[in-house]
Amino acid sequence: MVSTISPNSTIINVAAICGSLRKASYNRGLIRSAIEITNQSIPNMSINYIDISPLPMLNTDLETNGTYPQPVTTFRNQIQQADCFLFASPEYNYSVTAPLKNAIDWASRPPNVWADKAAAIVSAGGGFGGGRSQYVLRQSGVYLDLHFINKPEFFVNAFELPAKFDEDGDLIDEQAKERLKKVLLALKAFTLRLRDE
């Protein structure tokens, strides 16, 4: 639910999820950059990175009497409390990564906590910049009742020159940062639109 702090301002809480577990991942770098951009220049919006590495692989045998393992319960609560989502989705074998698909599936278990919220996807990778993973994620979003923004799209080739990322995986390309900011602004606007605000 969108958190209202005064009659004239609304804080939008964004849950940011990265499909890569690697600390120096370029996609995690996109999330770090999104947090920095939001803190500096997008008022009334807050991005919270959610670590999906503690989640066990989906196994319904782990569900007992309608309850989930503690890491899953924690994750589901974080998803439920968010107003919208930012996915940083690398591309593995023309698809999303196993950790990201696992997280999506855990949060879709009854009751589905993704439903009826806005989302955006950004990707960094080789060639097409991770773009094919975005199409797979959008397909899952249809069933999850997630409402992805359509434009602007954001893909970045992490390996072309001049370098887009530094050795720590942080985004250093100013044009890419401007494009990322446009995605965040579109996500904010769409979230408010879905809430009729």
Side-chain angles (χ1 to χ4, degrees), residues 106-137:
W106 270 124
S108 73
R109 298 292 297 156
N112 171 24
V113 292
W114 299 110
D116 204 29
K117 294 181 181 179
I121 319 171
V122 296
S123 296
F128 193 23
R132 294 179 189 88
S133 73
Q134 295 197 19
Y135 300 142
V136 174
L137 186 51

Side-chain angles (χ1 to χ4, degrees), residues 37-177:
I37 290 167
T38 301
N39 290 343
Q40 291 178 352
S41 60
I42 304 180
N44 303 324
M45 191 172 184
S46 176
I47 298 179
N48 179 40
Y49 168 69
I50 298 178
D51 183 9
I52 61 174
S53 64
L55 295 173
M57 290 301 293
L58 182 73
N59 178 353
T60 54
D61 287 344
L62 299 177
E63 302 175 26
T64 54
N65 300 320
T67 63
Y68 299 97
Q70 188 56 52
V72 175
T73 298
T74 299
F75 175 69
R76 287 174 55 85
N77 288 340
Q78 291 172 313
I79 296 303
Q80 191 163 32
Q81 291 166 11
D83 300 313
C84 58
F85 309 106
L86 176 66
F87 292 96
S89 181
E91 179 184 321
Y92 288 11
N93 300 318
Y94 281 20
S95 188
V96 298
T97 66
L100 180 55
K101 183 62 166 62
N102 187 55
I104 289 168
D105 291 344
W106 270 124
S108 73
R109 298 292 297 156
N112 171 24
V113 292
W114 299 110
D116 204 29
K117 294 181 181 179
I121 319 171
V122 296
S123 296
F128 193 23
R132 294 179 189 88
S133 73
Q134 295 197 19
Y135 300 142
V136 174
L137 186 51
R138 285 177 182 275
Q139 286 180 319
S140 293
V142 173
Y143 182 79
L144 298 171
D145 200 22
L146 268 174
H147 307 296
F148 284 103
I149 64 169
N150 292 321
K151 295 289 188 296
E153 293 181 306
F154 185 99
F155 320 103
V156 60
N157 186 325
F159 306 105
E160 69 179 0
L161 297 175
K164 304 295 187 292
F165 296 86
D166 65 17
E167 61 185 14
D168 296 319
D170 291 323
L171 184 65
I172 56 174
D173 184 84
E174 292 303 322
Q175 288 184 336
K177 288 182 180 181

